[in-house]
Amino acid sequence: MAEVKLHGFWYSPFTFRVVWALNMKSIPYEHIEEDRFNKSPQLLQYNPVYKKTPVLVHDGKPICESMLIVEYIDEIWPQNSLLPADPYDRAQARFWVKYVDDMFPGIVALQSSRNDEDREKAKEIIRERLGVVEDRCLGDERKFYGGDAINIVDIALASFVKCIEVQEDMFEVKILQSEKFPRLKLWFNNFKDVPIIKENSPSKEELVACLKPLIEKILAKAMMAS
């Protein structure tokens, strides 16, 4: 098997996606932990456009952007398929992946809120988008998006929901109320209880301990630059 390396941040929701996909397919890989404030020359070489993680390096060739990496993994290693076989179902799955990715700016807005009013606006935007997921994306009888097995939509959405749980603890806000999002809560509990996911996910406590000072540092730098 060709060598597989993953450049990423262990605490990043985008890195989670790739880690989950690799482990679900039992693909051995080397994890190369990057420093957000001092990225390696290799990372900058592999992703000269965005200079971001994650980057998967397969047989010396880099692939960037988390969900493109997940699709690449699914094509190269077809066992435990993550994308639906039917073209229509595959298009629908890609639609929801894109919808989830478009929600991440809401987290940035929440993190950068400077007062309660701004924070409340950011929370409402996130809740509105999650309401669409609750009503339109997750079915009543399905354990996961595609049925009984985790697929690409579950991987994308779970990374976002895990991120929201961490934000709730860091900023002492409540977004994912069970009474508002019963399907979403049940679905996420199903997802995180899968052994391969549980074994390859940092705890919420670990993430809060790491991310709270990190975000404070990033915001302080942004304020100094403005």
Side-chain angles (χ1 to χ4, degrees), residues 43-218:
L43 175 66
L44 301 179
Q45 175 190 342
Y46 289 142
N47 191 356
V49 176
Y50 294 118
K51 302 177 175 62
K52 295 191 304 184
T53 64
V55 173
L56 186 80
V57 184
H58 178 217
D59 199 17
K61 295 178 288 189
I63 305 96
C64 307
E65 297 296 305
S66 63
M67 296 315 297
L68 295 181
I69 295 171
V70 171
E71 286 208 32
Y72 176 86
I73 290 169
D74 202 45
E75 289 183 19
I76 297 297
W77 296 279
Q79 68 271 22
N80 302 325
S81 180
L82 299 172
L83 272 163
D86 179 78
Y88 176 79
D89 292 340
R90 196 158 59 243
Q92 290 299 302
R94 286 175 172 144
F95 170 87
W96 286 113
V97 166
K98 176 66 166 58
Y99 187 88
V100 171
D101 275 353
D102 287 344
M103 291 196 289
F104 273 96
I107 291 179
V108 176
L110 182 65
Q111 291 173 349
S112 58
S113 298
R114 299 189 180 184
N115 54 59
D116 290 343
E117 184 180 353
D118 289 345
R119 186 165 290 123
E120 194 59 38
K121 286 179 183 177
K123 283 164 49 182
E124 285 307 314
I125 291 171
I126 294 171
R127 286 194 189 115
E128 182 180 343
R129 301 281 290 197
L130 287 174
V132 174
V133 172
E134 173 82 9
D135 295 337
R136 302 287 183 180
C137 179
L138 301 176
D140 289 323
E141 304 300 324
R142 293 175 296 179
K143 186 175 182 180
F144 302 112
Y145 170 81
D148 291 330
I150 289 173
N151 82 354
I152 197 168
V153 177
D154 301 297
I155 286 175
L157 182 57
S159 68
F160 181 81
V161 175
K162 190 168 181 66
C163 194
I164 288 296
E165 282 196 331
V166 173
Q167 306 302 309
E168 288 182 320
D169 273 23
M170 284 197 301
F171 298 107
E172 298 181 356
V173 297
K174 195 63 183 171
I175 298 172
L176 294 170
Q177 298 99 325
S178 296
E179 63 274 15
K180 285 191 176 183
F181 304 109
R183 291 179 190 167
L184 188 64
K185 295 286 284 190
L186 177 61
W187 162 84
F188 189 56
N189 286 335
N190 290 335
F191 181 89
K192 64 186 181 181
D193 282 345
V194 172
I196 200 72
I197 300 298
K198 188 181 294 186
E199 292 162 11
N200 292 282
S201 301
S203 70
K204 182 169 63 173
E205 292 73 22
E206 289 174 313
L207 289 169
V208 170
C210 169
L211 288 171
K212 193 165 185 177
L214 181 64
I215 289 171
E216 289 172 353
K217 184 176 179 180
I218 292 170

